[in-house]
Amino acid sequence: MATVPVLPARARVSITARRTGSLAALAALIASLVAPISASAADPLTITTPYPAVSVSAGAKVSFQLTVKADQERQVSLSVSGAPASWGPAFRGGGFIVDGVTATKGGTPPDVRLDLTVPADATGTTSMTVVAKSGGLTASLPLSVRVNQGGGGSVAMTADYPTLKGVASQTYNFSLSLSNDTPEDLTFSLAAQGPDGWTVTAKPSGQSQAASAVVKAGEAATISVEADPPADADAGDYPIQVSATAGDQTANQQLGVTITGSYKMTVTTPDQRLSASGGAGSTINETVRIQNDGSAPLTDVTFDKTAPSKWDVTYSPATVDSIAPGSYQDVTAAIKPAGDAIAGDYVVNISAKSKESSGNADFRITVETSPIWGIVGLLLIAAIIAGLVWVFRAYGRR
C-alpha cells in the first residue's frame, strides 16, 4: 500500500499564497495588454444623428441634428453629398450658415444641424451622406429621406366650447386644441377675425406676445383666443373665425359669441344739476333720475348713500323693479343735514345698483344759516339799543 506524504499546514498555506499571487499577476498582465487595445479602438472623429432616416410629405422642411465628437480639439469641415441642389442643403449653427465646427474631447458637442427643404414635386427616397473631415481624418454619416406621397397627415383645430354667451361688457376666452398629425414639426402662424368693432387675438397658451406656435409631429398645442366686444354691442349672435397656417397646411375653427345685451346705468337729475341747498336739520328733497343707457333691462334697482356724519338720506320709492333700455326712473332723495351742521358746502354721494350694473353721482349740498338766528340777532340788537336809550334818558338829566 502506497504512502501519501502529508505536508505541514504552514507549507500548504505558502503554496496557496503563491498560486493566488500568480493568478493576480496573470490578470494584471492581461489587463495591461487589453487596455491599450481598447483605447486605441476609440474613433478620433465621429459624426452621428439620432434619426438618420425620416419620412416626410412633399414640400416639408427637414432638419437633422448632428453630433460631432473628436478625441482632441479639432477643426472639422462639413459637407453633404447626394442631396439635390433643389433641396437647398445647409448646415446651421449659432444662428449662421456654417461650413465647419470645432470639436473637443469631453466637452459639449457643437450645436449644428443640416436643414433641407423637400420640393413639392419630390417623390421616392433620397439618400445622402454627411462627411466630416479634419486633416487626414474622415467620418461619414448616411442619411435617408422618404417622401410620403398622399400620406403626409393633416392638421386640425377643435374647441371644447365653440360658443359662449354673456353681456357686452364681458371678455370672452376660448381654448382651442391645434393638432399636428403630420410626420414633421410645423410652425403655425395664427390669425383671428371678429365682427367690426371687436378686438380678437389668438396666441399659444401661456404666451402673451407670440403670434405663431410650433407643434411637434403627432402632438397638439393649446391655443388661447380672447374676444372683447364693444361696450355698446347690441344683443345677438356674433361669429369669430380662427385659422392656423403652416405652409400648405391650414386648420380653421368657427367660434361664436351670443350677446344678451349691454348694461349701463347713469345717476343724474332731470336738469343735470347736481346741487341743492337748505338749512341745518331741515329736509332737502332732490329728484334723482336713474337712466338705463344699455340695451337690456336693469332689474331690482336699490339705492345707497355716502354722507357726512349724522346726515340722513332716504329714497322714495326705496326700490325699482325694472328699468327698460333707453328709459329712466325718477326717485326722490330726502336729504337731511345734521342739526348742528355748520354753514358751508358738503358732498353727498348717491348710488344706485341693480343685478346687472351700478352708477353713482356726487351732489353738492349747501347748508345755509337759519333765518331764525338772524331774527334773534336783530332782536338782540334792538334790545341793546332800547336799553341804551333808556339809560341815557334815565341818567342823562343828572
Side-chain angles (χ1 to χ4, degrees):
M1 183 175 181
T3 302
V4 178
V6 178
L7 295 176
R10 183 177 298 175
R12 290 199 301 272
V13 172
S14 177
I15 292 173
T16 302
R18 285 198 301 273
R19 289 178 178 175
T20 303
S22 299
L23 291 175
L26 180 59
L29 177 61
I30 293 174
S32 65
L33 294 175
V34 173
I37 294 175
S38 300
S40 62
D43 293 331
L45 179 63
T46 61
I47 180 170
T48 59
T49 187
Y51 307 105
V54 297
S55 175
V56 300
S57 58
K61 293 182 178 180
V62 183
S63 293
F64 292 94
Q65 194 67 36
L66 306 176
T67 301
V68 181
K69 293 183 178 181
D71 60 347
Q72 62 185 36
E73 183 174 313
R74 296 180 183 275
Q75 300 294 320
V76 182
S77 63
L78 299 173
S79 61
V80 58
S81 60
S86 60
W87 288 39
F91 295 98
R92 296 183 182 274
F96 302 96
I97 295 178
V98 299
D99 296 323
V101 297
T102 299
T104 59
K105 180 180 179 180
T108 301
D111 184 13
V112 62
R113 71 177 190 269
L114 172 63
D115 288 345
L116 304 166
T117 300
V118 181
D121 58 352
T123 59
T125 300
T126 300
S127 298
M128 62 197 74
T129 302
V130 176
V131 179
K133 290 186 177 181
S134 178
L137 300 175
T138 301
S140 300
L141 174 63
L143 301 176
S144 174
V145 178
R146 178 169 59 87
V147 179
N148 191 355
Q149 291 290 343
S154 61
V155 298
M157 193 185 312
T158 58
D160 292 337
Y161 304 99
T163 302
L164 299 178
K165 181 179 180 180
V167 299
S169 59
Q170 182 178 343
T171 297
Y172 297 87
N173 294 287
F174 299 86
S175 181
L176 283 66
S177 177
L178 177 60
S179 59
N180 176 13
D181 191 26
T182 69
E184 67 268 3
D185 299 347
L186 296 177
T187 300
F188 291 90
S189 58
L190 305 174
Q193 180 65 45
D196 291 341
W198 286 58
T199 301
V200 183
T201 58
K203 57 183 180 294
S205 182
Q207 302 294 325
S208 59
Q209 302 296 328
S212 61
V214 178
V215 185
K216 294 184 178 181
E219 297 185 6
T222 301
I223 305 301
S224 297
V225 177
E226 183 177 279
D228 192 9
D232 58 351
D234 295 330
D237 297 329
Y238 296 86
I240 296 172
Q241 182 69 34
V242 182
S243 63
T245 304
D248 59 352
Q249 297 276 13
T250 300
N252 297 302
Q253 177 62 48
Q254 182 77 33
L255 303 175
V257 174
T258 299
I259 298 295
T260 58
S262 62
Y263 299 98
K264 184 179 180 181
M265 177 188 293
T266 302
V267 177
T268 183
T269 62
D271 59 2
Q272 310 298 313
R273 185 173 58 86
L274 301 178
S275 62
S277 60
S282 64
T283 298
I284 304 169
N285 291 316
E286 182 71 20
T287 300
V288 178
R289 176 162 292 181
I290 311 301
Q291 294 182 177
N292 183 352
D293 296 322
S295 60
L298 299 174
T299 59
D300 296 336
V301 182
T302 59
F303 306 96
D304 202 351
K305 94 294 184 183
T306 301
S309 178
K310 299 180 181 181
W311 285 47
D312 187 32
V313 181
T314 58
Y315 300 93
S316 179
T319 61
V320 177
D321 293 335
S322 178
I323 304 176
S327 184
Y328 63 86
Q329 175 68 50
D330 286 341
V331 176
T332 299
I335 305 171
K336 186 176 182 179
D340 58 354
I342 301 173
D345 292 336
Y346 297 82
V347 174
V348 175
N349 181 270
I350 293 178
S351 60
K353 182 179 181 182
S354 70
K355 289 183 177 179
E356 303 81 13
S357 184
S358 63
N360 66 86
D362 288 333
F363 285 74
R364 187 184 68 184
I365 306 300
T366 300
V367 175
E368 299 172 341
T369 303
S370 174
I372 296 176
W373 293 110
I375 296 173
V376 171
L378 292 175
L379 292 175
L380 288 173
I381 293 172
I384 292 172
I385 293 174
L388 290 174
V389 170
W390 180 83
V391 169
F392 281 115
R393 285 182 177 181
Y395 299 100
R397 297 174 183 177
R398 298 180 183 182

